[in-house]
Amino acid sequence: MGLGAGLGAAILSRCGGAELVASGAASDGGTTATDGGTTADCVLDPTTTKGPYWVDERLNRSDIRSDANGIASPNPRPGLPLTLEFAVSAYASGVCAPLQGAQVDIWHCDASGTYSDVQGSTAGQNFLRGYQVTDASGVARFTTVYPGWYSGRAVHIHVKVRLFDASNNTTTEATTQVFFDDTITDTVYKNVSPYSARSTRDTRNSADNIYGNQTVLLLSLSGDPASGFTGTIPLGVRVGQVNPG
């Protein structure tokens, strides 16, 4: 269940958004970056494993809640609404600049801890999977539901950022997972259906061997358990490097 390889070679960066003040000027309008700094606008993140449930569905859609093939039941998948915004930047020579035209794939389990398109259980279904292409500001947006949990893993969403050449060959690939504040998850799982019908989850962030206490992988969440949440995170990619995860 995604417990394979741990933290890998770093090709993914975390870049500060436009609201941050750059610590130095950049001629292309980007913000400066420092590897491992705590006050910099861009911090190098570790890449993580894609896990066993990656499927290249090639589903271009922003709302990923439904099974497009109409097999899954219920359809769409129930859960607390979650809007995701990934601000993707190209990271080079200590500078982050918005990356337009990058394909951002996400996939995660439903409220019951189940992934789609798993042989023997949900084969042929594609709920909670899809991609968007970043806009001129480097942003990709999704509508989904708050993920559930499964044994041995903290609550997470998988993310893959890719660029392709004219022949559709992958020229850049960065793979990671993003995580949720445990306190917020506790509130959702206790008070919101269908999460509240399940037993207590067995793995928090501190015990997850993929998260590895990398707080830069935490989504910034706003909202509430009544209406839903918006999660945002700034990600930077070293263009030209390939790490499939």
Side-chain angles (χ1 to χ4, degrees), residues 4-74:
L7 304 179
I11 65 166
L12 192 76
S13 317
R14 177 165 178 171
C15 299
E19 75 281 1
L20 296 177
V21 178
S23 55
S27 59
D28 62 358
T31 57
T32 57
T34 304
D35 186 358
T38 57
T39 60
D41 298 320
C42 181
V43 180
L44 197 63
D45 279 350
T47 58
T48 68
T49 175
K50 67 181 181 294
Y53 301 129
W54 160 245
V55 182
D56 200 357
E57 302 277 4
R58 302 299 174 108
L59 282 168
N60 183 355
R61 58 180 185 171
S62 60
D63 188 335
I64 67 171
R65 291 175 291 182
S66 296
D67 167 29
N69 296 320
I71 302 172
S73 180

Side-chain angles (χ1 to χ4, degrees), residues 148-209:
W149 66 274
Y150 52 94
S151 184
R153 287 303 316 275
V155 183
H156 63 282
I157 289 176
H158 296 265
V159 186
K160 186 182 287 288
V161 181
R162 290 180 290 178
L163 294 171
F164 305 92
D165 63 18
S167 300
N168 206 36
N169 298 308
T170 302
T171 60
T172 299
E173 187 168 1
T175 308
T176 196
Q177 299 176 27
V178 295
F179 294 80
F180 294 77
D181 181 273
D182 277 324
T183 301
I184 294 176
T185 297
D186 288 343
T187 301
V188 171
Y189 285 8
K190 179 180 179 181
N191 299 295
V192 181
S193 177
Y195 311 93
S196 57
R198 301 186 66 198
S199 59
T200 303
R201 59 194 172 114
D202 62 13
T203 306
R204 300 174 73 83
N205 288 340
S206 59
D208 188 274
N209 72 336

